[in-house]
Amino acid sequence: MTDPPSPPAREPPAPHAPSAARGGRAVAALPAVGERLGVWRVAAELFECASGFWFRVEHGKAAAQTGLALVYRHEVDAQAVLMRFAEDSESLSRFQHPAYGAPLDSGLSPTGLPYLVVPAMEGAPLMRVAMALPLKRRMQLLLDLVDLLEAAHAQGLVLHELDPGTLWLSPAQQLHWLGQGLAPRDSQAPAALVRAAEPLANARQRAGGRPDANSEAHTLGRLLGLLVNGRLPRRDATEEGFEEEPEPGATPVASLQSWLSLTAAQRESLDQLLDRAMMDGRSFTDRQLLAQAVRDWIEAEPAPATRSAPTGAPASGPMPLLPAPPPLDHEADERPRAPAASLAERLAGIALVLALAAVVAWLLLRAG
């Protein structure tokens, strides 16, 4: 398994420089370090995600109070962000969970972009680092989120939407959920979703329906596919008439090595699980059924083989966020050649190349 990338793997564009939206329309400028977001001052640029850009902020009247601000890239997200903050923030602030960060503040930037302020934490957006984790660990993260949802449901909260950019992974590899993905069952806020959450929502909810057990299971199933494959099926976005913003760092190439480490039977069973979770909408009608299927796969399948482990590394425990790996297709070129490889080694190398080509072809057919 390649080492996980270190955040930020890619620097966001200069926040004070306008960027171009699809169709060539210029979007509003992002805040620069030192500028104000309401009572907050931007202290540092952090990460880009599909929703927008993360900044570290400091409270203008209480210097010791810091937070994280997500400035959304789309002005059309303002209704979903601001109206839901006004309606639901008090209820969300009462939900106390170590892995959840309720929204602290919301508003519009000087250039009209909506922003949301949440408690400060260390780490990085999940999809910037998740694909370098072992496959079963990535799948376990979904179960961690289901556990958090169990606690939320006990407090009268439901899953309104899931914006992957609001899921963070701490340096200790613990999942955290920041922002407004939850909502009270009786919320009177608009049912609108932020654009980055639409690819994970089902058609009924995208059309304005309220969340229910089925929409929750569908969203979690889509997240499972994102964690396993590094992307969602492109055909779904085009058929439904909307364009999805890819999560920076969420690439299928980064997960290829763990996929190759599975046996043919493991790949087939995992593929069937993903199809049921993401596509049919009938197999898993609530989160418990989906979670049990994921647990069954994790427990039934032996751990995938790995090439090698760093000497002295512990068998389990937190994995540090390490520097970004080189692209997989350059690994063979950069590896020193043995002066005299045996026939068995050459045959093994040919077999590996053929297997890699077969899997890449399979991925291309699946993406199509």
Side-chain angles (χ1 to χ4, degrees), residues 248-323:
T251 62
V253 174
S255 67
L256 183 58
Q257 188 172 3
S258 63
W259 187 260
L260 286 173
S261 69
L262 299 175
T263 66
Q266 288 173 323
R267 294 173 196 163
E268 182 178 1
S269 64
L270 182 56
D271 202 29
Q272 291 174 353
L273 173 59
L274 293 181
D275 281 345
R276 293 165 61 206
M278 292 195 295
M279 302 296 186
D280 68 11
R282 299 181 299 274
S283 296
F284 306 116
T285 54
D286 59 45
R287 66 184 181 282
Q288 290 93 347
L289 291 174
L290 173 62
Q292 188 57 53
V294 173
R295 288 190 197 97
D296 290 344
W297 193 91
I298 291 175
E299 293 170 1
E301 301 296 344
T306 55
R307 290 184 180 179
S308 62
T311 57
S316 61
M319 186 193 317
L321 301 177
L322 301 174

Side-chain angles (χ1 to χ4, degrees), residues 225-251:
L226 190 60
L227 287 168
V228 172
N229 291 331
R231 59 163 177 78
L232 294 172
R234 294 189 186 94
R235 63 177 180 272
D236 290 359
T238 57
E239 287 174 0
E240 297 295 338
F242 65 86
E243 295 179 294
E244 62 179 278
E245 299 278 357
E247 283 290 334
T251 62

Side-chain angles (χ1 to χ4, degrees), residues 148-180:
L148 194 160
L149 283 170
E150 292 288 346
H153 275 260
Q155 298 295 318
L157 302 174
V158 297
L159 173 61
H160 177 86
E161 67 179 16
L162 190 57
D163 169 3
T166 62
L167 295 174
W168 276 51
L169 203 63
S170 74
Q173 303 300 334
Q174 300 301 309
L175 182 71
H176 289 256
W177 193 9
L178 310 175
Q180 300 184 138

Side-chain angles (χ1 to χ4, degrees), residues 52-123:
F53 296 84
W54 282 101
F55 298 86
R56 190 169 300 281
V57 293
E58 298 172 346
H59 198 285
K61 298 181 180 179
Q65 185 177 0
T66 62
L68 299 174
L70 175 58
V71 179
Y72 290 81
R73 69 174 78 240
H74 299 295
E75 297 176 23
V76 294
D77 284 339
Q79 180 188 25
V81 174
L82 303 183
M83 295 297 290
R84 280 166 49 202
F85 179 83
E87 184 68 33
D88 299 337
S89 59
E90 183 177 352
S91 298
L92 296 181
S93 66
R94 291 195 293 267
F95 177 49
Q96 300 296 314
H97 191 283
Y100 177 68
L104 303 174
D105 198 0
S106 183
L108 293 176
S109 74
T111 56
L113 293 175
Y115 67 84
L116 192 70
V117 178
V118 298
M121 68 165 289
E122 299 300 322

